[in-house]
Amino acid sequence: METKKNRTEKRKGNLMSVRDDIKVLDATIRDGGLCNNFMFTDEFVQELYKTNIKSGVDYMEFGYKASRNLFKEEEFGKWKFCKEEDIRAIVGDNISDMKIAVMADVGRCDFKTDFLPKSESVIDMVRVACYIHQIPAAIEMIEYFHELGYETSCNIMAISQANLNQVEEALEMIAASSVDVIYLVDSYGSLYPENAAALANTYLAAAEKTGKKVGFHAHNNQNLAFANTIETLSYGVSYLDATAQGMGRGAGNCAMELLLGFLKNPKYSLYSLLTFIEKYMIPLKQEGVVWGYDLQYMFTGQLNRHPREAMSFTADNRSDYCEFYKSLLENF
């Protein structure tokens, strides 16, 4: 039987350690864009870009490369589509050390027409998002982007609903591909530190066989996004997603200010982010953009289901939590 002592010995470093393998990725524009249809001003995005550089953030995800055949451009801000010229309008040639990322959803992007070769693009990493049944399609995209010269990740969504056999088979397939980072994604915010750690160790065991890195993307339905992030980090997960004030779909994500305040590497700095929060995040909330923990998200997290019903509850300004919870249980 595994003892507490044995589990502790598996941890990589301690609370005072500086780990050079850690990479922090800011997903504010991409995940946060799901809260306001990506309607960020250029000033907001440019100031966040500058803030991330000053804060020591390693990657900034600008949004999705969504298909303009599937989604109407007039209904979304530009970061739903991340055209090369729009990113360059913010970053120029990006002479900073921070890398630029975008996300491409399996089945929701035109990846063979909308991506330039890396040599012609300011984008550094393409994050391929898929559900576990879409792994073969995700691998096709990963190999395509790899051939174009990009760093790649595979973000397997809703992993909390997959069984262990599915997870292990998927990881074996992805680890054999050209992918650089395999992401554990708690889409429904249903994981607790103990099972997040167990899954992280499963991912790490598969990834390390072929020299891949592992990342973690948390949602905050049960106020555990930060706790789960640093728990998985402690076992060797090295790519960590966070957003300013936790801005993201529904209950949001791991808060960047919590993560930067936790990490001991002096390259990470909190001060510039606090200034950005004062000047840009607080006004965003005052304008009525809504995200963050609330009871309706707790319910869907505890029941391990998609937060769409909780998001609808929020959009309707409802507060009849008991009735909503009963309706979820009746349809469980």
Side-chain angles (χ1 to χ4, degrees):
M1 178 182 288
E2 184 178 57
T3 66
K4 184 176 179 181
K5 182 176 184 293
N6 288 335
R7 276 183 63 105
T8 303
E9 286 174 350
K10 290 181 182 178
R11 294 184 189 266
K12 191 172 181 179
N14 56 49
L15 287 172
M16 296 302 294
S17 298
V18 172
R19 278 178 37 201
D20 293 335
D21 61 314
I22 296 298
K23 304 294 181 187
V24 173
L25 183 143
D26 171 63
T28 305
I29 303 301
R30 202 273 307 163
D31 215 319
L34 297 168
C35 304
N36 67 347
N37 280 344
F38 306 89
M39 297 293 186
F40 297 102
T41 65
D42 284 359
E43 179 186 352
F44 182 100
V45 178
Q46 192 160 52
E47 289 304 312
L48 180 59
Y49 169 71
K50 293 177 183 176
T51 296
N52 282 330
I53 293 170
K54 292 176 184 175
S55 299
V57 169
D58 300 283
Y59 291 80
M60 178 173 173
E61 187 176 43
F62 269 69
Y64 287 97
K65 271 278 195 181
S67 169
R68 296 192 293 277
N69 295 313
L70 294 176
F71 301 96
K72 296 179 181 178
E73 288 189 72
E74 61 270 21
E75 294 180 359
F76 299 92
K78 63 184 71 172
W79 310 111
K80 177 77 169 178
F81 307 100
C82 284
K83 296 178 183 176
E84 185 74 22
E85 60 267 29
D86 290 332
I87 300 177
R88 285 188 180 274
I90 301 297
V91 309
D93 290 331
N94 185 32
I95 59 172
S96 74
D97 291 333
M98 184 176 71
K99 295 182 178 181
I100 304 301
V102 295
M103 180 165 278
D105 270 348
V106 169
R108 294 184 178 186
C109 66
D110 301 315
F111 68 95
K112 290 190 176 178
T113 57
D114 284 355
F115 282 85
L116 297 169
K118 169 63 192 109
S119 60
E120 301 172 26
S121 176
V122 75
I123 296 167
D124 298 288
M125 171 182 272
V126 182
R127 309 210 308 162
V128 176
C130 67
Y131 291 102
I132 201 158
H133 67 277
Q134 298 172 317
I135 294 296
I139 290 174
E140 179 190 6
M141 291 172 62
I142 287 162
E143 298 301 342
Y144 182 81
F145 294 134
H146 178 74
E147 287 299 313
L148 288 181
Y150 293 101
E151 295 178 37
T152 58
S153 77
C154 185
N155 296 37
I156 314 172
M157 300 180 288
I159 202 66
S160 58
Q161 290 200 328
N163 63 49
L164 184 58
N165 285 339
Q166 288 177 309
V167 172
E168 289 177 342
E169 288 176 18
L171 291 175
E172 185 177 354
M173 293 170 68
I174 298 165
S177 77
S178 299
V179 79
D180 296 292
V181 188
I182 307 171
Y183 260 88
L184 167 56
V185 183
D186 184 16
S187 301
Y188 299 164
S190 64
L191 296 180
Y192 298 95
E194 185 171 356
N195 53 6
L199 276 168
N201 280 314
T202 299
Y203 274 58
L204 287 161
E208 288 169 358
K209 290 177 184 176
T210 52
K212 314 300 186 185
K213 299 293 186 181
V214 175
F216 185 68
H217 179 89
H219 277 266
N220 204 37
N221 297 60
Q222 300 187 82
N223 263 335
L224 289 170
F226 174 57
N228 287 338
T229 297
I230 62 174
E231 180 73 356
T232 58
L233 155 71
S234 76
Y235 285 99
V237 168
S238 52
Y239 279 67
L240 310 173
D241 285 13
T243 62
Q245 286 207 298
M247 185 185 187
R249 186 207 65 198
N253 307 109
C254 176
M256 181 67 78
E257 56 272 23
L258 283 169
L259 184 59
L260 294 186
F262 169 82
L263 294 171
K264 299 302 184 286
N265 192 328
K267 73 167 281 191
Y268 298 118
S269 170
L270 192 56
Y271 185 80
S272 294
L273 177 59
L274 298 179
T275 302
F276 179 82
I277 288 170
E278 288 179 20
K279 291 182 66 176
Y280 293 98
M281 298 304 296
I282 292 173
L284 203 62
K285 282 209 162 187
Q286 291 171 340
E287 291 166 12
V289 181
V290 178
W291 72 89
Y293 168 82
D294 207 337
L295 288 174
Q296 61 270 30
Y297 294 117
M298 180 191 81
F299 301 151
T300 59
Q302 288 178 340
L303 295 173
N304 190 19
R305 58 200 286 176
H306 195 287
R308 62 175 63 89
E309 293 152 301
M311 292 164 69
S312 177
F313 180 98
T314 305
D316 292 340
N317 292 312
R318 291 172 59 184
S319 58
D320 55 331
Y321 296 111
C322 289
E323 287 301 315
F324 179 62
Y325 187 48
K326 283 195 292 184
S327 72
L328 290 176
L329 291 175
E330 288 168 1
N331 296 302
F332 187 55

